[in-house]
């Protein structure tokens, strides 16, 4: 099994487990999210220990072993991206299984279980639908101000959505064109989505246009932009203009 095939299989299996747990109807809300996080994480870690025992792992739901920083290959996992959405029984939550090689998002898979979708980086292409007004996905509960201001600057319409993975995959599958986020993310929030986006031929970078780097000692990676390649120059210029405008 290739790394990409393994990533896709793990994301799908964890997604199916999460749906079964939710459909039992035993827990709700925060308790449901906590159980889902715990059991999906255990499934993924057990499979990786069996299938890729020599690789390191960075997971949101596991103690961080900093010895990973000396490793070339590190699996970056979010077993349940969008715990709130999952606990509220919405469909905009995801499972992330990414692989960083020498710090780069080499490959990954993102499952959107309630849509029956698994996006794998080596088996995905973006349609790139051209719209008169681009669509930007933003958080449904706490859209960052820079995203709102950039949308205004480039004439984009906003599409509120739940988890980071769900928003990124909305760009991959052409329901949206741009995803801009600033603040509050970690490597597990965006490694797999970035890998899938890059595999689909999209632009993915930090807000200043610099590359996304993973397997850092501090896993905080607070900002990201994913968009159609044809929009990248325009979006990054609007971001930089807003950063300059916001300076005291």
């Amino acid at each position: 099994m290739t790394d990409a095939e393994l990533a896709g299989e793990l994301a799908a299996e964890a997604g199916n487990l999460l749906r079964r747990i939710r459909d039992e109807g035993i827990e709700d809300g925060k308790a449901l999210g906590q159980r889902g996080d715990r059991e999906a994480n255990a499934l993924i870690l057990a499979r990786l220990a069996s299938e890729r025992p020599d690789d390191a792992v960075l997971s949101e739901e596991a103690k961080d072993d900093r010895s990973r920083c000396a490793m070339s290959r590190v699996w970056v996992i979010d077993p349940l991206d969008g715990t709130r959405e999952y606990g509220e029984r919405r469909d905009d939550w995801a499972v992330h299984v990414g692989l960083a090689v020498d710090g780069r998002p080499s490959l990954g898979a993102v499952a959107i279980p309630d849509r029956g979708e698994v996006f794998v980086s080596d088996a995905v292409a973006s349609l790139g639908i051209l719209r008169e007004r681009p669509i930007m996905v933003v958080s449904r509960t706490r859209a960052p101000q820079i995203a709102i201001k950039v949308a205004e600057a480039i004439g984009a319409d906003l599409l509120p959505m739940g988890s980071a993975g769900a928003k990124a995959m909305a760009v991959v599958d052409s329901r949206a064109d741009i995803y801009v986020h600033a603040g509050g993310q970690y490597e597990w929030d965006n490694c797999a989505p970035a890998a899938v986006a890059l595999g689909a031929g999209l632009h993915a970078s930090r807000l200043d246009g610099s590359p996304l780097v993973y397997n850092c000692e501090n896993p905080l990676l607070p900002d990201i932009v994913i968009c159609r390649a044809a929009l990248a120059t325009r979006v990054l210029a609007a971001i930089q203009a807003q950063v300059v405008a916001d300076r005291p």
Side-chain angles (χ1 to χ4, degrees), residues 19-78:
R19 292 183 68 191
R20 289 197 300 271
I21 291 170
R22 183 194 59 193
D23 292 346
E24 288 175 1
I26 298 173
E27 296 96 352
D28 246 320
K30 186 176 181 179
L32 175 60
Q34 289 174 336
R35 180 185 171 194
D37 262 328
R38 183 175 63 253
E39 295 192 20
N41 188 61
L43 182 154
I44 294 170
L45 294 190
R47 285 291 309 279
L48 286 175
S50 172
E51 301 285 348
R52 298 294 189 273
D54 296 328
D55 292 349
V57 179
L58 171 64
S59 172
E60 181 181 18
E61 300 303 322
K63 184 177 179 180
D64 186 7
D65 181 353
R66 297 290 175 83
S67 66
R68 64 177 169 75
C69 296
M71 303 286 284
S72 171
R73 290 168 49 93
V74 181
W75 293 87
V76 185
I77 308 299
D78 191 343

Side-chain angles (χ1 to χ4, degrees), residues 132-180:
E132 183 176 347
R133 288 177 62 88
I135 296 174
M136 179 185 291
V137 282
V138 294
S139 171
R140 68 184 182 92
T141 58
R142 52 187 183 281
Q145 282 299 306
I146 192 167
I148 294 171
K149 291 178 180 179
V150 168
E152 292 173 351
I154 66 175
D157 294 322
L158 298 180
L159 175 61
M161 198 173 291
S163 76
K167 289 193 283 287
M169 294 310 100
V171 181
V172 171
D173 71 13
S174 298
R175 285 176 291 145
D177 306 289
I178 308 161
Y179 171 38
V180 172

Side-chain angles (χ1 to χ4, degrees), residues 55-133:
D55 292 349
V57 179
L58 171 64
S59 172
E60 181 181 18
E61 300 303 322
K63 184 177 179 180
D64 186 7
D65 181 353
R66 297 290 175 83
S67 66
R68 64 177 169 75
C69 296
M71 303 286 284
S72 171
R73 290 168 49 93
V74 181
W75 293 87
V76 185
I77 308 299
D78 191 343
L80 174 51
D81 176 56
T83 307
R84 175 183 297 181
E85 286 74 20
Y86 176 73
E88 294 176 357
R89 301 178 181 272
R90 294 172 54 90
D91 65 1
D92 47 352
W93 54 277
V95 178
H96 299 178
V97 180
L99 176 64
V101 178
D102 297 329
R104 302 304 182 195
S106 174
L107 61 89
V110 177
I112 312 293
D114 283 335
R115 293 178 62 90
E117 297 171 333
V118 180
F119 299 85
V120 183
S121 54
D122 72 344
V124 66
S126 179
L127 297 176
I129 298 171
L130 295 177
R131 298 181 176 91
E132 183 176 347
R133 288 177 62 88

